[in-house]
Amino acid sequence: MISEKVFQQILLLGEEWRVSAVDYVEKASQVLIRVEDMPALWPTQSCPHCNARSVTGYDHAPERRWRHLNVCQLESEIVCALPRGQCKACQKVYTVRAPWEGRSRGLTQEFEAFALTLMREMPVKKAGEILGETDQKLWRALFAHVDAAWAELSWEDVVWVGADEMNRKKGHNYLTVFVDLVAKRVLLAVEGKDATVWERFSEQLRQHNGHPKAITQIAIDMSPAYQKGVRENFGNAQIVFDKFHVVTQVVQAVEEVRRKETRQDALAREQLERTSWLWRKNPERWTAKEQERWSQLKDKPLVTGLAYAMRLELQKAYASGTADQARSRFQSWCRWVRTEADALTSGLLEPMRKAADMVERHLDGILGHWKQGLTTAFLEGLNSLFSATKRKARGYRSTEYQIAMLYFVAGKLEIPYYG
Ligand SMILES: [Zn+2]
């Protein structure tokens, strides 16, 4: 077995603590590292109540255990009855903190650091299986580190913010996630998707050394509630409607056209059968099968095909070099859509007309896309990031678990955090 002396060095115990015994428990395939305090401990202590450096040994608290890293593939634990000291100045008695203790009870710092490394790579459940620990215990460590590191974050440099709603479960339970578009990190996630979430973000911003007046650009979707919240709480910020959300709305309009056309026309129904995915993608993302389907459809007089061409044309406007060029392209797009919609007595292009109205109404915000250097790519990736977060928190559905995991994965926190 490895000697006490070696453990003394591995654990960096110094003069204040001593490994008194290392026991191998055969039945449990476990190594118990017994640690005792030394007289040299007391001169290093200062009273937690009055800060006086006049503490002497009083007695010992009951024995406790801390799970530590494995030793020669055996689970190891530090066992120690922590000493209690008494302050000569204020007479109060307190229990000395173990220098190896992590942020959550019953784990050493080294074990926590290793567990957090595993949790970065895999679901918490799986990390628990590998480490032979309950996932509840690992979650406690994760919460302790995330809470401490998140509270210490500085948001004083935050100027460009993005926000989006995330679906916690299908159809209900929304979270609004706020991100720093420059540093590409998640700042805050709160329940709800109404205007009040912006008030909560503003409060948190102040608590993290930021200021609502410092925010100059805010990228959001076109929800009226978000726009109201931004106007009420972030008066200096220009609202930017990001490309992803604009295009998504137009894609939905194309889908509506397809459904209407399918209902109205028996021949069209036959032609449009099982093509909904085709219209949702850009041509370069089509599979060979979809490509072939397109070549059969492209000469048919389908209104859905026209709506799809409109959507591609709108996307091209995003290739404009300047905001002025983009403005005139968006405007001529709106004119084109309306002309085609007017010409069609069937009303099939009405969803596209609505999309054009939407673009025109939000044009100033849409043109925020051309603000120098502003990129909303991080915002666009948020949905897949959130899905990954949900997978990692598998089995733990409550909001607090998902938020903690989101901060852990995408908050750029300093973790492990022993500050
Ligand atoms: Zn004291």
Side-chain angles (χ1 to χ4, degrees), residues 46-52 54-55 86-92:
S46 50
C47 171
H49 305 286
C50 72
N51 226 19
S54 56
V55 181
Q86 184 171 36
C87 172
K88 279 187 194 146
C90 73
Q91 302 301 317
K92 283 182 179 151

Side-chain angles (χ1 to χ4, degrees), residues 103 109-121 138-153 186 392 403-419:
R103 290 201 78 97
Q109 290 179 9
E110 287 83 357
F111 184 84
E112 276 185 359
F114 184 56
L116 288 162
T117 307
L118 286 189
M119 284 188 270
R120 279 199 192 284
E121 305 300 324
L138 298 190
W139 271 110
R140 269 206 297 278
L142 187 112
F143 272 113
H145 281 269
V146 166
D147 288 352
W150 186 82
E152 288 299 316
L153 281 180
V186 168
K392 285 173 77 68
I403 292 179
M405 187 53 87
L406 186 63
Y407 292 168
F408 180 57
V409 169
K412 297 212 173 155
L413 304 177
E414 206 174 293
I415 281 180
Y417 184 79
Y418 296 110

Side-chain angles (χ1 to χ4, degrees), residues 61-91:
E63 199 174 83
R64 279 178 53 196
R65 292 177 173 215
W66 292 262
R67 174 76 195 273
H68 191 52
L69 293 175
N70 287 9
V71 176
C72 304
Q73 294 173 21
L74 300 168
E75 281 187 13
S76 81
E77 284 187 329
I78 293 179
V79 183
C80 180
L82 289 172
R84 302 205 300 162
Q86 184 171 36
C87 172
K88 279 187 194 146
C90 73
Q91 302 301 317

Side-chain angles (χ1 to χ4, degrees), residues 95-298:
T95 305
V96 172
R97 204 180 157 273
W100 54 82
E101 185 163 65
R103 290 201 78 97
S104 58
R105 205 178 157 85
L107 303 177
T108 68
Q109 290 179 9
E110 287 83 357
F111 184 84
E112 276 185 359
F114 184 56
L116 288 162
T117 307
L118 286 189
M119 284 188 270
R120 279 199 192 284
E121 305 300 324
M122 59 188 77
V124 176
K125 259 202 166 73
K126 175 97 183 155
E129 283 162 20
I130 290 176
L131 293 165
E133 276 298 340
T134 64
D135 36 350
Q136 249 335 310
K137 213 164 181 176
L138 298 190
W139 271 110
R140 269 206 297 278
L142 187 112
F143 272 113
H145 281 269
V146 166
D147 288 352
W150 186 82
E152 288 299 316
L153 281 180
S154 168
W155 297 352
E156 62 182 335
D157 297 332
V158 176
V159 288
W160 288 350
V161 169
D164 204 357
E165 61 188 57
M166 297 288 124
N167 221 342
R168 273 223 313 111
K169 288 175 209 158
K170 284 241 150 57
H172 52 101
N173 287 80
Y174 286 93
L175 281 185
T176 295
V177 180
F178 296 90
V179 303
D180 177 346
L181 289 174
V182 179
K184 299 182 172 51
R185 58 175 172 162
V186 168
L187 297 172
L188 175 73
V190 295
E191 272 183 282
K193 55 167 186 169
D194 57 3
T196 65
V197 297
W198 290 90
E199 210 177 298
R200 281 183 274 166
F201 176 53
S202 166
E203 274 163 31
Q204 286 300 327
L205 194 59
R206 287 170 204 269
Q207 281 183 26
H208 288 267
N209 290 327
H211 200 281
K213 287 211 158 74
I215 309 299
T216 56
Q217 311 285 329
I218 294 182
I220 49 173
D221 63 19
M222 280 148 286
S223 110
Y226 277 1
Q227 293 178 52
K228 180 169 178 272
V230 170
R231 275 197 303 271
E232 286 174 356
N233 295 281
F234 295 87
N236 285 357
Q238 193 206 339
I239 293 179
V240 176
F241 300 114
D242 65 277
K243 178 184 170 186
F244 172 74
H245 280 113
V246 174
V247 173
T248 301
Q249 290 243 354
V250 177
V251 169
Q252 278 164 5
V254 176
E255 169 63 12
E256 246 181 274
V257 172
R258 187 191 66 85
R259 271 192 253 135
K260 276 181 171 235
E261 191 169 30
T262 306
R263 279 198 300 269
Q264 277 194 14
D265 185 328
L267 181 63
R269 177 165 41 235
E270 212 172 281
Q271 290 167 344
L272 289 170
E273 215 180 9
R274 286 194 295 272
T275 61
S276 77
W277 279 102
L278 183 87
W279 311 112
R280 274 175 217 201
K281 293 182 186 173
N282 287 324
E284 61 271 21
R285 310 268 321 254
W286 282 340
T287 62
K289 226 174 158 183
E290 286 163 339
Q291 199 103 44
E292 198 192 313
R293 196 72 202 268
W294 168 248
S295 59
Q296 296 160 1
L297 289 174
K298 68 177 195 287

